Amino acid sequence: MNCVFCKIINKKIPANIVYEDKKTIAIYDIKPKAEIHILIIPKKHIKSIITLKEKDKEIITNLIFTAKKIAKEKKLKGYKLIFNVEKKGGQIISHLHLHLLGGKIENPLNI
Ligand code: AMP
């Protein structure tokens, strides 16, 4: 499958990894739109929130709790969590991911 995030998960291409466990990986965004811009990605390939199945709903909880953990480590007192959903929602990479944005943020509507 020609998916950038699958390649990162499978260590076929490098990334700046912030956190990793059995189900989730978190990496620094290659083109940060905030002082801290981290992508939290489930290892299971799911295209987007639209294609997410009820049986996989735990994945969303894992993403959010991973974001909480990372934000705490980075000492963020507040932050934004954003899902872009499909092309019309600004999603460029067709592998579900959660944006964690902290510090000075460029334009949150353009993430
Ligand atoms: P989205 O528009 O929600 O699909 O966001 C995809 C994000 O992935 C963008 O913010 C990109 O800058 C980021 N991105 C693309 N390729 C890479 C990569 N190889 N490593 C880290 N971040 C990436």
Side-chain angles (χ1 to χ4, degrees):
M1 198 187 292
N2 198 22
C3 168
V4 176
F5 289 168
C6 285
K7 286 180 185 162
I8 288 172
I9 291 160
N10 294 316
K11 310 282 159 39
K12 302 275 187 231
I13 59 169
N16 199 344
I17 298 172
V18 185
Y19 173 87
E20 185 168 15
D21 64 25
K22 245 175 72 182
K23 293 182 173 171
T24 311
I25 193 167
I27 61 170
Y28 281 103
D29 196 292
I30 209 166
K31 281 191 196 155
K33 286 98 187 167
E35 262 174 76
I36 293 179
H37 186 175
I38 291 166
L39 304 171
I40 302 148
I41 308 164
K43 289 190 173 176
K44 181 169 181 176
H45 183 91
I46 291 165
K47 191 175 170 226
S48 77
I49 290 284
I50 282 186
T51 60
L52 179 74
K53 301 273 195 300
E54 182 92 22
K55 68 175 170 61
D56 285 327
K57 64 183 174 191
E58 190 191 303
I59 284 174
I60 300 302
T61 314
N62 287 341
L63 296 182
I64 290 172
F65 275 83
T66 303
K68 271 164 65 76
K69 195 182 304 185
I70 295 169
K72 196 173 176 192
E73 274 167 16
K74 302 287 175 198
K75 299 190 172 22
L76 294 175
K77 302 282 181 228
Y79 44 90
K80 290 188 191 298
L81 295 177
I82 295 175
F83 285 107
N84 291 326
V85 183
E86 301 281 340
K87 272 202 186 103
K88 289 200 167 166
Q91 185 178 359
I92 292 161
I93 299 203
S94 295
H95 182 131
L96 183 69
H97 53 281
L98 177 62
H99 293 260
L100 165 63
L101 301 142
K104 201 163 179 290
I105 300 169
E106 268 177 29
N107 174 1
L109 297 176
N110 243 342
I111 299 305

